[in-house]
Amino acid sequence: MAPSTNTRVLRAKHIAKDEAFSKDDLKIVHVEFDATLNEGEILVRNLYLSLDPYTRFSFEKDGDRAAAPLDTVVSGFGVAEVIASKSSAFPVSSIVLGSTIGWEQYSRHSNLQGFFIIPDAHNPKIALANYLNILGMNGLTAFAAVDSLVKFHKDQVVYVPSAAGPVGSFLCFLAKRDGAFVIGSAGSEEKIQYLLRDIGVDYAFNYKTQDSRAELYKAASEGVDIYFDLVGGETLDIAIEKLKSEGQIITIGNISQSGAAPYVMKNWSQFIFKSLRMNGFTVFKHLDKFPRLWKEIGPLVAEGKFKSQQLTIVKGVERTSSVYQDYLDGKYFGKVVIEVAALQEE
């Protein structure tokens, strides 16, 4: 039966680039829902919603220019069940991963370019929420960045900040798998132990309580070959200083600059003196690699090779606003997913 009402999470306020995000920037509404489909559209029941740093940018406003209008549904990656369809490519009962799933109970979609049917959605050895973690955007970010830009080998030193997060931990795994010496940093002792014990990095330090320059020198006195930038700001500046001649930076994220005053870089001249390379990367240009990710990494997940991947599932779309603020404030460990509804197995 088609739904007649819907619970939605809307943008309530705009924020400046250097302004901290608050749960009051979101609001929960309960509305009537028109489930009538036009040709080519699908209606989905949302199951899991991904919380990601980039979503914050849709709240930003610079002068008269806003990233997205107020009172519109927040969206991002999600897993959903097709409950009605007028698209032959997405039949009813398909389980899909979508890049523009609304933060709501039900969604209508006409632009299906960023949607993929999950081929093994009912495999009891792979939790559906993993398609928003190691088999979702986070996993694809690490997988595609390495596939496109990096060739690891055993004599390399690789540095990954925010290494206990869902992208960082998979980057560490891929580098270790190919024999590199891996340094990871994180913001708590619990995360440091996780990196050493579960991920198997060679050296880990707490950037909040230890001096990053000193720790990088202890770990790799001759310097770093590859730096995966997930945070930007001072962390990037220090990494530039510690890179070897002809070292490489793959810049993926800039989370330290969200809600903060812009950091003034001091070491740009090192690019000239050391002939450094810097590659920008966005996963949205690599969504076509999802099938490869699932084919190559899915069996390893099913075999339990990724038990150490941290995943927090919070039930209830109504809790999204407070959970997202806590997520941005770093109060969660690893990937955070909102469970809107559970998949009812036949």
Side-chain angles (χ1 to χ4, degrees), residues 266-283:
K266 303 178 180 66
N267 289 313
W268 285 127
S269 61
Q270 297 283 333
F271 275 87
I272 300 170
F273 303 141
K274 294 194 287 190
S275 299
L276 302 179
R277 292 169 293 153
M278 189 173 193
N279 299 98
F281 177 86
T282 174
V283 71

Side-chain angles (χ1 to χ4, degrees), residues 13-32:
K13 298 178 182 178
H14 285 131
I15 56 177
K17 289 184 178 181
D18 59 354
E19 184 178 353
F21 186 90
S22 166
K23 65 180 181 180
D24 294 330
D25 298 328
L26 293 165
K27 65 180 177 181
I28 311 296
V29 298
H30 307 281
V31 298
E32 294 183 357

Side-chain angles (χ1 to χ4, degrees), residues 105-158:
Q105 289 178 294
Y106 301 95
S107 302
R108 287 172 50 188
H109 294 279
S110 56
N111 182 356
L112 302 174
Q113 187 174 1
F115 282 69
F116 301 86
I117 293 178
I118 298 173
D120 202 18
H122 297 275
N123 185 341
K125 293 183 179 181
I126 303 178
L128 263 184
N130 264 323
Y131 287 92
L132 296 178
N133 191 20
I134 193 67
L135 298 177
M137 185 191 74
N138 300 117
L140 185 66
T141 298
F143 179 83
V146 171
D147 181 70
S148 304
L149 299 170
V150 176
K151 186 69 175 178
F152 292 126
H153 55 77
K154 65 179 181 180
D155 295 325
Q156 285 177 328
V157 176
V158 176

